[in-house]
Amino acid sequence: MIYETIDLYDYFKIGRGGATGGYLTAYARSQLSELYRKTRPAILVIPGGGYGMISGREGEPVALEFLSKGYAAFQLKYTVETAYPVPLNEAVMAMRFIRENAARFQIDPALVAAIGFSAGGHLAGLLSTVTEEEAQRAVGVSDKLVRPDAAILSYPVITMREGLTHEGTRRISSGGGQIDYDFLSIEKRVTKECPPCFIWHTAADTCVPVENSLLLASACRSEGVPFSLHIFERGWHGLSLCNEETGGQTPEDAEHVRVGKWAELALSWLSSRGFSVKEAEA
C-alpha cells in the first residue's frame, strides 16, 4: 500500500505566503504481482469544518471507505481561517497532482472524483466550477485539467445568502465580506461545464439548511448538468459516514443507519458513470 503525505507547495515550487495547509495524504493500493495490472478510479476527499478547522471524521474514515471499494483516495488538508482563493488554490493543486501522478498511483486520470462535506462541500463546489482564470492563477493550467470528473456534495454550504448560509463559512471565505457573496455562491457559478453531481442532505439540518442542496440541484437542472439529489428526513449536521466510527450513529438510532445508505448510493452512482476498477491496458 502507498501511504504518504505530499506538501503541494513544495511539489509545485510555490511559496507558501503564510499558508498552513496544502497537504495531500494519499491512500493507494500497491499492484499485486499475482494478479493482472489494474487501473483504478480516484477520489479527492475534502473535509468540512466551516473553514475554521478540518474535521477528522470527514477525512481519513471517508478516504478509507473509498479505498476499501477499490479507489485510490487522497485527503486534502487545506488552509483554514483564510479567505478565498487560498483553499481553492490548494484544491486545484491537489487535482493537478493526482492527474500528473496517475501512472504512479495506477489510476485513470479521466476518473477522478471529488467529495466534500459542509464547508468542504463548498470548496468541492468551487473546484467543480473553477474558471480558467482561477486555474491559471493557482497552477498555470487549463480549468479542464483540474476540474473533477464527478462531485459528491454532502450537506454542502452552497449559497452565501443571509439566512440560508452557514455564517462562519461565509465570514471566513469572504474575508469578512471583502469578497462578493454572489461570487462565492456555488449556485451562481454553475455552468454546463460542471461535472455531474451527487448531492445529499438531511431536511432536519439546523446548521446548513437543506435549501443549500436544493439551490444547487436547481442550478444544475437549469444548466443541464446531470445530478442525483437525496434528501433524508431526519439527521443532524455532520453525519459523515453515519456510523459509530464517525460519530453519526448510536446503536438505538435506526434513522441514521438509513441515512448512512448515502455512501452506497453514491458509489453506485459513480459506478453507473464508469467509475470502476479495470484491467490496465498493456
Side-chain angles (χ1 to χ4, degrees):
M1 177 176 171
I2 301 173
Y3 172 70
E4 63 181 66
T5 297
I6 300 96
D7 181 336
L8 293 168
Y9 285 94
D10 181 66
Y11 177 85
F12 287 110
K13 302 297 186 288
I14 297 173
R16 282 194 161 273
T20 57
Y23 296 98
L24 189 68
T25 300
Y27 306 80
R29 296 172 184 269
S30 301
Q31 174 62 42
L32 300 178
S33 59
E34 301 96 323
L35 300 176
Y36 63 83
R37 290 182 62 250
K38 298 177 180 179
T39 300
R40 302 177 182 278
I43 190 155
L44 174 63
V45 180
I46 308 178
Y51 285 122
M53 53 86 77
I54 301 290
S55 169
R57 297 182 303 100
E58 297 165 346
E60 183 171 85
V62 176
L64 294 178
E65 177 68 17
F66 277 86
L67 179 71
S68 73
K69 299 301 189 290
Y71 283 68
F74 300 83
Q75 178 193 344
L76 177 64
K77 179 184 178 183
Y78 52 93
T79 298
V80 297
E81 294 292 350
T82 190
Y84 167 95
V86 175
L88 176 59
N89 289 348
E90 294 168 353
V92 167
M93 285 192 279
M95 285 297 298
R96 184 180 176 193
F97 173 87
I98 293 168
R99 289 203 170 110
E100 278 191 357
N101 291 273
R104 178 181 169 220
F105 292 106
Q106 303 171 69
I107 60 177
D108 185 337
L111 293 175
V112 183
I115 181 170
F117 298 82
S118 193
H122 181 262
L123 183 49
L126 288 175
L127 184 61
S128 298
T129 60
V130 67
T131 65
E132 181 75 17
E133 180 182 355
E134 290 169 327
Q136 290 287 345
R137 177 190 62 218
V139 288
V141 298
S142 166
D143 57 311
K144 295 178 177 61
L145 296 178
V146 295
R147 192 179 295 123
D149 300 297
I152 301 171
L153 292 306
S154 306
Y155 42 87
V157 179
I158 295 299
T159 189
M160 294 290 129
R161 190 186 307 175
E162 188 173 3
L164 290 181
T165 191
H166 176 258
E167 288 301 326
T169 297
R170 182 169 89 148
R171 174 180 56 80
I172 295 173
S173 63
S174 70
Q178 296 182 51
I179 301 171
D180 182 70
Y181 292 139
D182 278 355
F183 177 75
L184 294 175
S185 293
I186 308 304
E187 80 275 17
K188 305 284 188 181
R189 296 170 57 98
V190 172
T191 69
K192 66 180 186 303
E193 302 299 325
C194 295
C197 294
F198 180 99
I199 312 161
W200 75 275
H201 218 120
T202 60
D205 192 330
T206 59
C207 183
V208 176
V210 69
E211 282 81 1
N212 282 264
S213 286
L214 297 176
L215 284 168
L216 177 59
S218 178
C220 287
R221 181 170 174 80
S222 294
E223 293 295 328
V225 175
F227 71 95
S228 182
L229 174 65
H230 301 264
I231 306 297
F232 299 92
E233 180 182 359
R234 301 176 186 172
W236 58 74
H237 184 76
L239 287 172
S240 185
L241 292 171
C242 310
N243 57 25
E244 292 179 339
E245 183 68 27
T246 57
Q249 174 196 339
T250 56
E252 68 277 5
D253 199 340
E255 182 63 30
H256 288 170
V257 175
R258 286 190 285 272
V259 178
K261 294 293 184 183
W262 76 262
E264 179 183 330
L265 292 168
L267 283 159
S268 176
W269 177 81
L270 286 169
S271 178
S272 74
R273 309 201 73 84
F275 284 73
S276 62
V277 179
K278 301 179 176 69
E279 183 173 358
E281 295 181 2

